[in-house]
Amino acid sequence: MLVPQINIVIPLYNESEVFHLLVERLNQLMDSSELSIEVILVDDGSKDNTALQMVGLAQSDSRYKAVLLSRNFGHQLALSAGYSVVNASEAVFVIDGDLQDPPELLDSFYSKLKEGYEVVYGVRRGRKEHWMLKAAFSLFYVIIKRIAYIDLPRDTGDFALLSRRVVDVLNTMPEQSRYLRGMRAWVGFKQTGLPYERPARAEGETKYRLRKRLSFALNGIFSFSEAPVKWISSLGMGSIGLAVLYFIYTLIKRFFTDEVQPGFTGLLFVIILFSGVQLVCIGILGEYVLRIFFQVKGRPLYIIKDVVSKNKSEEAR
Ligand code: UDP
Ligand code: MG
């Protein structure tokens, strides 16, 4: 295929159940769309036969390319690997493999791009998650809105159409702790949101367990905010102030009244409280130090084992 106008990048991890549905929908889209499209499927070290299905497809259909990672690197890195092999002239469309991001919306995203926007992201109108998860998401957005130095739009995911230029910029950002939707907001350019109804997963189950979600959220916060470190200083100042006040209070009591301070329990309480506070503070510092640690090692973000496409195998022959 000549250089396509659009790449669709899709990270997949153990998605063999939904794979045929995904391909069906993509084929329909490509058959009916005016745009020339090449799909980049990224296998994030699946343990089922997702990779096999992918390779088979890429070998028989030149509109698909399969990128195989050497192991499971996680959604964000799989997506980054996909970004690194794009070849589209105009834009890159990012969707999840479970059809929660309807591929058919490409045309409406594309028309926004034609209006001059370089980032068009999907905004989830109806979330189908459990109410507790929804509450946690809301809390997360409140926090990040207040403390982060990016303007992260609410209820957005990685579902977006990015101009080729924006993807090129993202590819130059070497950070290890990747929170792509934050990085996308950070790069600037003209951005806009497009509301859509987010359906439930077509097949299979979510690959994001609670712990993974939590560490993802922490990445969002610690990669885009210095507020937590600043809090530590304020907290330290606050407790010094408190201690001084308490000291003055005991002195006054000692010299101007006959009362003896029954200080022992109070003391214990203060010690325990502030040891706890100190541990939390060290933990917060640790989050930043960890990110520095990983960055300084300078390891590659992901390892691409193989790239399979019909053209390539024909070239090889
Ligand atoms: N995914 C991935 N690597 C992982 C976990 C997930 O490539 O380690 C892919 C997954 O196959 C899907 C997308 O990322 O295409 C979003 O994952 P999922 O649907 O499980 O997340 P949710 O929609 O529940 O947040
Ligand atoms: Mg999903």
Side-chain angles (χ1 to χ4, degrees), residues 246 250 261-275:
Y246 187 65
T250 16
Q261 266 297 84
F264 187 63
T265 32
L267 203 62
L268 210 59
F269 168 74
V270 171
I271 290 175
I272 294 173
L273 179 72
F274 284 98
S275 321

Side-chain angles (χ1 to χ4, degrees), residues 109-128:
F109 276 61
Y110 185 73
S111 59
K112 283 279 171 203
L113 194 85
K114 285 285 128 190
E115 285 172 29
Y117 293 100
E118 304 225 12
V119 174
V120 188
Y121 50 81
V123 180
R124 300 168 184 179
R125 219 169 9 204
R127 274 193 181 263
K128 301 268 183 300

Side-chain angles (χ1 to χ4, degrees), residues 15 96 98 100 198 201 206-207:
E15 301 286 10
D96 279 354
D98 58 1
Q100 284 196 282
R198 187 164 163 92
R201 186 175 243 287
T206 176
K207 306 298 178 294

Side-chain angles (χ1 to χ4, degrees), residues 29 150 260:
L29 172 71
I150 45 166
V260 180

Side-chain angles (χ1 to χ4, degrees), residues 115-166:
E115 285 172 29
Y117 293 100
E118 304 225 12
V119 174
V120 188
Y121 50 81
V123 180
R124 300 168 184 179
R125 219 169 9 204
R127 274 193 181 263
K128 301 268 183 300
E129 279 103 357
H130 193 266
W131 69 268
M132 283 213 300
L133 206 54
K134 276 198 242 183
F137 287 139
S138 290
L139 179 68
F140 172 75
Y141 283 108
V142 169
I143 294 176
I144 207 137
K145 181 121 233 141
R146 281 189 67 102
I147 70 173
Y149 51 73
I150 45 166
D151 195 9
L152 189 73
R154 215 194 131 91
D155 289 332
T156 59
D158 291 310
F159 184 33
L161 183 69
L162 312 173
S163 74
R164 176 61 199 267
R165 176 155 70 152
V166 165

